[in-house]
Amino acid sequence: MATVTIAGHTIDRNDEGFFEDPDQWNQEVATEVAKEEGIEELTPKHWQVIEFMRKEYFEKGTGPTVRMLGKTSGVTVKELYQLFPKGPAKVAAKVAGIPKPRGCI
Amino acid sequence: MSDAIEKVSIIISKGSLEGIYPGLIMANGARAEGIEANLFFTFFGLDAIHKKRMEHIKVATVGNPGMHMATLVGGLPGMSAIATHMMNKKMEDFDIPSIPEFMELISDTGAGMYACLASVDLFGMTESDFIDELDGIITVGDFYEIAAGGQILFT
């Protein structure tokens, strides 16, 4: 675990860069984390996915997989890969400040 | 991270449920991790992308030690259908998609899906036999070109 300062906020992150405490998250921090992941600008579609992931995490205790995102977030799997080319569930979870989603499908 | 896997090509050569699913799960999992993935269907693996056959993929109950049943029992009429039904039920409980849905999902993730030309010819199949998601019927040589620079998995 490492404590880092992102956009002036103190964030605890694990070795892979996922947040230890989702409550340390805010939109400014998300924008910076997205840049680290190669996403220069978060569009309204990105935010739709990010907010959906946080909602799911707080309701269910884990972030959704790509398949579930495609079925329930209102953003198709194709679009998800355009928004987050390096793996939608994983990268979106990182930007959304929630732990890495588990699951093989 | 210099040894991170950036690209995989997965060859599916068997037409049984247990021969097809692992390859699909590996390909989908690769894309979920942001790894480039291509699927190459050859020999009986073609059934996985065959419009009419893909919905009737069965578990092999004969010659499959994983079934933990005597070969004679496994060979009884209907045994494969029963085992397949049970396996499908179990997979549904774990939210694993059916083969047709899985193919659509994998295609949407941007993975490439190719059929082996030699096998397609051998079985007398044509492009119209296959799902629309298929990216092409290609030679083994073409496949190696697509796979260049990545890992190749044979299932």
Side-chain angles (χ1 to χ4, degrees):
Chain A
M1 196 183 87
T3 304
V4 293
T5 305
I6 302 172
H9 299 272
T10 305
I11 313 289
D12 298 316
R13 298 211 290 184
N14 71 10
D15 296 340
E16 283 183 285
F18 289 91
F19 282 51
E20 294 281 351
D21 178 5
D23 288 329
Q24 292 177 337
W25 180 91
N26 62 46
Q27 297 202 342
E28 255 182 300
V29 174
T31 308
E32 288 306 309
V33 175
K35 279 183 189 153
E36 285 176 12
E37 293 293 319
I39 302 165
E40 280 309 311
E41 199 199 331
L42 290 173
T43 63
K45 279 268 179 190
H46 284 106
W47 286 113
Q48 186 182 337
V49 178
I50 291 164
E51 276 154 24
F52 184 83
M53 294 216 63
R54 285 186 66 80
K55 187 172 140 281
E56 283 282 297
Y57 172 75
F58 284 113
E59 275 173 19
K60 296 177 182 161
T62 178
T65 61
V66 180
R67 179 173 172 239
M68 290 326 289
L69 272 177
K71 281 189 166 176
T72 51
S73 70
V75 181
T76 66
V77 171
K78 265 187 197 170
E79 284 177 301
L80 285 165
Y81 274 94
Q82 283 158 8
L83 296 171
F84 304 97
K86 287 180 188 162
K90 202 177 73 168
V91 175
K94 207 179 270 187
V95 177
I98 62 168
K100 187 177 179 177
R102 297 190 64 81
C104 287
I105 316 266
Chain B
M1 289 293 279
S2 60
D3 55 355
I5 294 171
E6 286 172 8
K7 176 175 172 176
V8 288
S9 296
I10 300 164
I11 301 167
I12 295 179
S13 65
K14 298 186 187 78
S16 58
L17 198 99
E18 74 277 18
I20 294 169
Y21 264 106
L24 303 187
I25 292 170
M26 298 293 287
N28 181 61
R31 292 298 301 131
E33 294 294 321
I35 298 168
E36 186 185 336
N38 290 294
L39 282 163
F40 187 63
F41 298 92
T42 184
F43 236 85
F44 299 120
L46 286 176
D47 279 5
I49 48 170
H50 190 283
K51 271 187 231 164
K52 289 188 182 121
R53 295 184 181 175
M54 68 192 305
E55 287 174 28
H56 308 287
I57 301 294
K58 290 195 168 54
V59 176
T61 46
V62 174
N64 181 357
M67 289 305 294
H68 305 286
M69 59 168 70
T71 296
L72 264 174
V73 178
L76 290 174
M79 201 48 89
S80 182
I82 293 166
T84 303
H85 180 76
M86 282 165 63
M87 186 69 93
N88 278 332
K89 176 79 190 59
K90 192 139 199 192
M91 290 202 295
E92 217 178 290
D93 293 344
F94 282 91
D95 215 21
I96 297 172
S98 67
I99 288 178
E101 192 204 324
F102 218 159
M103 290 302 180
E104 213 183 306
L105 171 69
I106 290 171
S107 173
D108 283 347
T109 69
M113 289 204 251
Y114 304 94
C116 167
L117 177 65
S119 305
V120 171
D121 289 346
L122 175 69
F123 292 131
M125 294 173 179
T126 62
E127 208 176 330
S128 60
D129 290 318
F130 301 114
I131 52 172
D132 297 337
E133 285 85 1
L134 195 68
D135 292 295
I137 300 171
I138 63 173
T139 66
V140 170
D142 293 335
F143 166 71
Y144 280 124
E145 242 174 68
I146 288 167
Q151 311 280 331
I152 297 179
L153 309 178
F154 194 95
T155 67

